[in-house]
Structure formats: C-alpha cells, structure tokens
C-alpha cells in the first residue's frame, strides 16, 4: 500500500468469522474523488479504478459501494444477494455495508437497504431522522439526530437491543455486537460477548469506536486506543498506538 497517496478515507471489508471466511479487501478514497482498492478480488470487489467523483466509500465482505457527489451510488463485487443493486439510489449522503447487505442514508434522513434480508436487516424503510448507519453480519443500526439508536435484524445475539441508548454520537456494528459513543465520552455495547467484545463499561474519554467481527476498539481524546475482545491474531494489541486522530 506504499503507493497510496492523498487518501482521505478508508474502508475495510466486513466479514464474519467462519471456516470459509478470513479473506477481505481494503478501499481508499482519494482527495480527487478517485478510489483505490487492494486485497481479495475474487468477485471484482476491487474493480474501482474507473470510479470518479466519489465522496464516500464502504466495504462489505465481497462488495464495495461508493457515494457520488451527485447523490447517486455505485457498487462492484458479489451481487448474488442483491447487495450491489444500488443504481436506483438517489440523494444518498452516506453508506455502510454488512457482510451481505448495503445500507444508505438519504439527505432527508430516510434509509434504504438492499441485499440479504433473512434476519430482517434490510427492514429500514420506516426509519426517519437518521444521520448515520452501521451494518453488521445480519443487523443494521441507525443513529438518529436526537441521539437515539434504532436497529433491525439479528435478534438472537442481542445486537439489536439498543432501544434504551441515549445521547449517542456514533455507532458501529461488529458481526454480532453493536457499539456506540455517547456525548459524555462513554462507550455502550450490546450483543454477543463470547470474546469480551462488549466489555467497554470502564472506558471514558472516547471520541470514536470501531467494531471488528469479535473485537472492539475505542479512540480516546488523547490519541491513544483501547481494545477488548478476541486477540487471536493480535487485533487488540494497540497499547503502543499514539497520535491517532479522526479525519476532519
């Protein structure tokens, strides 16, 4: 990735942990609106070299979605579940991708979703006042402008049990868990906790969170990072990280 320059945003392919997973891809958005990608490309998910005028990107397991400056969306990669059926989307402000579904927030605060819906993760048509979304393996989160969070999809894991969350400023979705940051800089987590990925109650001074398949990261205001959850591949070894900042 040494050739990557002028990158203003990145996205990592979402993938749940299973025997047939593990391969993924990475996408970068350049300041000139072009896009670059590297990694697993079996379904053409890295075929983004011709994209122009892109203002946001998201990556699923085998899919890449981009938002154009005019509010339309483009997609490439595996389309078998319908996750690339975004050509009709208009007035899109942001996108997120789960393993098998793609979600977009429109400028009017409504939400649209396409792709695998076996757990109801695409049932977002009635959501209103949404400012951002996050997509997990089989669930979707929506952050409302009033700091409340709504969810659709996976019920068995408990990842959708967010109805009591308040004063939230950012959300993210792991494969089977949901995480959030509040205005007070605290973290919230809900869902599968087999690897301790939801053990965030002691965290404070947060400005952002990120959820992997089975682990969670928190960015502190001082630029350091905390982590919890599965560490079998060293994904939680972040104690030495300093000077990390959210892109403006």
């Amino acid at each position: 990735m040494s050739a990557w320059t002028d990158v203003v945003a990145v996205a990592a392919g979402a993938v749940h942990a299973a025997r047939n997973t593990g391969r993924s891809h990475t996408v970068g958005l350049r300041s000139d609106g072009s896009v670059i990608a590297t990694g697993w490309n079996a379904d053409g998910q890295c075929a983004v070299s011709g994209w122009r005028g892109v203002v946001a990107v998201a990556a699923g397991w085998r899919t890449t979605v981009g938002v154009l400056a005019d509010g339309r969306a483009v997609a490439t990669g595996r389309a078998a579940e319908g996750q690339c059926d975004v050509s009709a989307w208009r007035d899109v402000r942001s996108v997120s991708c789960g393993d098998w579904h793609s979600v977009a927030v429109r400028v009017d605060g409504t939400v649209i979703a396409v792709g695998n819906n076996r757990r109801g993760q695409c049932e977002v048509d009635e959501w209103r006042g949404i400012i951002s979304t996050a997509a997990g393996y089989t669930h979707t989160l929506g952050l409302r402008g009033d700091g409340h969070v709504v969810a659709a999809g996976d019920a068995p894991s408990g990842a959708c049990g967010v109805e009591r969350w308040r004063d939230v400023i950012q959300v993210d979705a792991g494969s089977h868990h949901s995480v959030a940051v509040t205005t007070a800089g605290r973290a919230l987590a809900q869902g599968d906790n087999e690897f301790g990925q939801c053990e965030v109650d002691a965290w404070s001074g947060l400005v952002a969170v990120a959820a992997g398949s089975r682990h969670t990261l928190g960015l502190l205001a001082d630029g350091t990072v905390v982590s919890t959850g599965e560490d079998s591949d060293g994904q939680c070894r972040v104690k030495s990280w300093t000077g990390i900042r959210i892109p403006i």
Side-chain angles (χ1 to χ4, degrees):
M1 299 175 67
S2 59
W4 286 29
T5 57
D6 300 319
V7 174
V8 295
V10 294
V15 56
H16 64 286
R19 291 182 178 180
N20 66 330
T21 66
R23 294 170 292 181
S24 191
H25 70 297
T26 304
V27 184
L29 173 62
R30 292 193 177 108
S31 59
D32 65 358
S34 62
V35 180
I36 190 169
T38 188
W40 187 39
N41 193 35
D43 293 276
Q45 58 264 47
C46 292
V48 297
S49 60
W51 290 6
R52 296 293 183 271
V54 178
V55 297
V57 290
W61 182 24
R62 304 181 180 190
T63 308
T64 302
V65 179
V67 179
L68 303 182
D70 63 5
R72 293 179 297 134
V74 290
T76 187
R78 180 183 171 103
E81 293 75 26
Q83 61 266 55
C84 286
D85 295 341
V86 302
S87 60
W89 289 4
R90 296 293 184 271
D91 300 321
V92 173
R93 181 170 62 190
S94 64
V95 289
S96 59
C97 291
D99 283 37
W100 304 114
H101 69 297
S102 304
V103 186
V105 180
R106 297 188 183 103
V107 293
D108 65 357
T110 59
V111 180
I112 188 170
V114 294
N116 187 303
N117 192 38
R118 67 186 180 92
R119 291 287 178 85
Q121 61 263 43
C122 291
E123 296 176 6
V124 298
D125 292 347
E126 296 183 1
W127 291 4
R128 297 293 183 270
I130 304 299
I131 59 175
S132 67
T133 58
Y137 176 35
T138 54
H139 75 290
T140 303
L141 302 176
L143 174 59
R144 293 191 340 210
D146 61 5
H148 293 210
V149 179
V150 291
D154 185 13
S157 73
C160 290
V162 300
E163 62 277 356
R164 295 185 179 181
W165 287 5
R166 298 292 184 270
D167 301 321
V168 172
I169 58 174
Q170 188 237 326
V171 294
D172 201 10
S175 289
H176 299 287
H177 74 294
S178 304
V179 294
V181 179
T182 70
T183 54
R186 305 303 298 241
L188 303 171
Q190 182 71 32
D192 179 43
N193 193 37
E194 179 182 358
F195 296 89
Q197 59 263 51
C198 290
E199 296 176 4
V200 300
D201 290 348
W203 292 0
S204 62
L206 292 170
V207 295
V209 289
S213 178
R214 295 171 171 174
H215 74 292
T216 303
L217 302 179
L219 174 61
L220 304 184
D222 64 5
T224 59
V225 179
V226 290
S227 64
T228 188
E230 185 181 23
D231 192 35
S232 58
D233 294 303
Q235 57 265 56
C236 287
R237 299 171 195 173
V238 299
K239 289 183 179 179
S240 64
W241 291 10
T242 59
I244 308 299
R245 295 287 182 266
I246 299 175
I248 299 175

